[in-house]
Amino acid sequence: MLHDHQATSTPCPCGSGKNYNQCCEPAIEGIKPASTAELLMRSRYTAFAIGRSDYLLKTTHPDHRQELSIELLDEQISMTTWSELEILETIQGSESDSTGVVSFIASFSSDEGEAQLHETSRFIRENEHWLYVDGEIKLVQ
Ligand SMILES: [Zn+2]
């Protein structure tokens, strides 16, 4: 089930403690790009949680989109329900950096049950926009 109409004044799915309109919404709606690698990572998690495949594609570096498509993302989104994000570590990725690394654990459930995605993601900043490059992914079930 997709949640296209995330209410703007409810807690942001990324778990920051802020409301969606004060957190990931400006980035996802293209109003204000994420200023740090961690904020981009959070907004991509939220995009997965609320079904914004357009934003996920847009924030993946063009050189690394490979087989990625809206259809594939929608399929992944429809199979998973994201429940929690925990940021473990951020290396660089500040407003004055051009690269950054974010390690996190994202918890989700699917037909196969509950699972956790442990990922160390690499980000690059181009033209004031942070982009997802790739990640080392470990699935824990
Ligand atoms: Zn958020």
Side-chain angles (χ1 to χ4, degrees), residues 74-93:
D74 281 343
E75 195 184 319
Q76 288 176 0
I77 286 166
S78 70
M79 291 189 305
T80 47
T81 302
W82 297 87
S83 52
E84 193 184 356
L85 172 67
E86 185 187 349
I87 306 278
L88 300 178
E89 189 183 19
T90 301
I91 302 166
Q92 297 181 312

